[in-house]
Amino acid sequence: MYLTFLLWFSDSESTVSLVDIMIFATCLERPPPLGFDPTPSIEFLHDAILTEDGTSSYTSKYPITNTCANVLRLPTCHQTYDEFKSYMEQGIAQSPGFGFL
């Protein structure tokens, strides 16, 4: 499902681009000349996520990123590819990054 999502951008039907994904995941429009530090990674949200107070939890339907650690967290709760694609597009398109408008 995740690879299909990335390949889907090649047919230009998406409302987000690979650059949008890069900005969402790292807050950069292109890789830095000396590479990333730390190396970007992908994690999958199999379990519920603790809220800031550490007491309640929820399962995210949207992608989550930690741009300081270069970690992209992808949801696994969707039942269909179309549902996954919709939430990915919404999450990325509605999160322009630090200062990008």
Side-chain angles (χ1 to χ4, degrees):
M1 180 178 336
Y2 307 103
L3 181 58
T4 303
F5 180 73
L6 290 176
L7 293 174
W8 177 67
F9 290 104
S10 64
D11 65 12
S12 303
E13 292 182 20
S14 176
T15 59
V16 297
S17 68
L18 290 175
V19 172
D20 293 327
I21 293 174
M22 174 78 117
I23 292 170
F24 177 77
T26 67
C27 272
L28 298 172
E29 292 181 346
R30 58 180 114 357
L34 297 176
F36 287 101
D37 185 27
T39 301
S41 63
I42 296 175
E43 296 178 357
F44 297 95
L45 302 171
H46 296 288
D47 299 319
I49 300 168
L50 294 178
T51 59
E52 288 181 18
D53 62 12
T55 56
S56 60
S57 62
Y58 65 95
T59 300
S60 178
K61 292 184 177 186
Y62 295 96
I64 298 172
T65 188
N66 179 335
T67 57
C68 294
N70 293 326
V71 177
L72 177 61
R73 294 179 178 95
L74 301 177
T76 60
C77 60
H78 304 294
Q79 300 300 314
T80 67
Y81 173 73
D82 287 335
E83 181 183 3
F84 169 77
K85 183 175 72 171
S86 175
Y87 278 97
M88 287 293 292
E89 284 187 307
Q90 290 174 46
I92 293 168
Q94 296 176 21
S95 300
F98 299 110
F100 291 107
L101 294 176

